[in-house]
Amino acid sequence: MPGLAEVLHGSFPEHAYPAHTHDTWTVLLVDEGTVRYDLGRHERATTRARVTVLPPHVAHDGRSVEAGGFRKRVLYLDADRIDAERVGPWVDDPDVGDPVLWRAVDRVHRVLAHPGDELAAESGVALLGERLGRRAARLAPAAADRAPGLARRLRELLDARVVEGVTLAEAARVLGADPAYLVRVFRAEVGVPPHRYLVGRRIDAARRALLGGERPADVAARVGFHDQAHLHRHFRRMLGVTPGEYARSA
């Protein structure tokens, strides 16, 4: 569907997400429990009445506050749905207490549950992206991307080399920077070191391939993991389920 990379409905009785990034906007509703997470070096928590919006390429984690875990619904919107120059407001204030927005997100989820309503779903996604974009523009009409040149250039290099990968030495040579300094700058701006960012991009690609019907054994090498066991280890650490379990849940 145009503008929508993935939808996730999940119940997590125990799983805690490690720090990771997405190449999409994460629009989150928590229906049960409370999720505590770190974003932009600040600890935050979700509430059931609010919509949480996490921008692309900014590291975050997630763990339950309550013993019973949490249940959530997530829309992953393509990065171009909201101006990439408007990241700042969402890092500063990711939780939106707007009942109209909450109902709009909830409606998209409900429409998506009924095949045949593609136009209604596409319209909902388009309007949702527009509404979120207007909020960002209102809060920061002249906001600039926070990532300094070096961190941004390394992110672009990693994005271009997701499957084949890149060594730190090669990245340092291409970007003309000391390797240790490169890691330090990237981690300071993105929130995770370069290798974990690259694993996150590969996990994103694997999720979409699995949802498309591909077998885990075929997906692993195609998205950049050494073998199925390598994919299995990282996938379970990130999502709390195996690639096979994730594929069957689709």
Side-chain angles (χ1 to χ4, degrees):
M1 179 175 297
L4 187 60
E6 187 180 343
V7 180
L8 174 67
H9 293 183
S11 178
F12 298 84
E14 297 179 347
H15 181 63
Y17 283 95
H20 63 287
T21 66
H22 293 289
D23 58 356
T24 57
W25 291 86
T26 301
V27 181
L28 170 68
L29 299 181
V30 176
D31 296 315
E32 291 182 6
T34 302
V35 180
R36 194 175 301 281
Y37 64 97
D38 292 324
L39 180 76
R41 302 183 186 85
H42 294 285
E43 186 177 69
R44 308 178 188 277
T46 64
T47 67
R48 292 173 62 180
R50 290 176 172 263
V51 180
T52 299
V53 181
L54 307 178
H57 310 303
V58 178
H60 57 277
D61 57 10
R63 60 272 184 198
S64 178
V65 173
E66 298 155 16
F70 59 91
R71 181 166 59 87
K72 68 177 183 176
R73 291 177 288 164
V74 190
L75 299 175
Y76 295 96
L77 300 182
D78 289 343
D80 61 4
R81 284 284 121 172
I82 305 173
D83 187 353
E85 299 298 311
R86 312 288 186 182
V87 167
W90 299 110
V91 176
D92 296 333
D93 187 15
D95 297 306
V96 186
D98 180 350
V100 175
L101 178 62
W102 193 99
R103 288 194 295 270
V105 177
D106 177 68
R107 183 174 183 276
V108 170
H109 281 287
R110 293 180 184 277
V111 171
L112 286 169
H114 300 285
D117 290 341
E118 285 81 4
L119 181 58
E122 288 180 10
S123 300
V125 170
L127 292 173
L128 180 60
E130 181 184 38
R131 185 177 185 88
L132 294 173
R134 285 202 307 268
R135 177 184 185 269
R138 186 170 64 252
L139 294 178
D145 189 346
R146 292 183 167 197
L150 188 58
R152 182 172 60 248
R153 287 164 58 206
L154 177 54
R155 175 166 56 79
E156 291 170 349
L157 178 62
L158 294 171
D159 288 344
R161 301 276 293 274
V162 169
V163 176
E164 63 270 38
V166 60
T167 66
L168 180 59
E170 182 181 1
R173 184 170 63 252
V174 169
L175 300 177
D178 175 77
Y181 179 70
L182 190 58
V183 172
R184 189 162 65 250
V185 167
F186 189 88
R187 185 165 192 164
E189 293 302 324
V190 179
V192 292
H195 71 276
R196 189 178 296 179
Y197 177 86
L198 186 61
V199 167
R201 296 286 64 71
R202 289 171 174 170
I203 291 291
D204 284 341
R207 289 165 64 167
R208 292 163 195 167
L210 291 167
L211 292 176
E214 296 185 45
R215 299 185 311 142
D218 298 330
V219 168
R222 191 169 69 74
V223 302
F225 291 102
H226 297 307
D227 51 29
Q228 188 174 351
H230 191 208
L231 168 64
H232 184 286
R233 183 169 70 255
H234 284 290
F235 202 96
R236 187 176 183 85
R237 178 174 181 268
M238 182 69 71
L239 292 172
V241 295
T242 68
E245 290 168 337
Y246 186 83
R248 288 191 293 275
S249 76

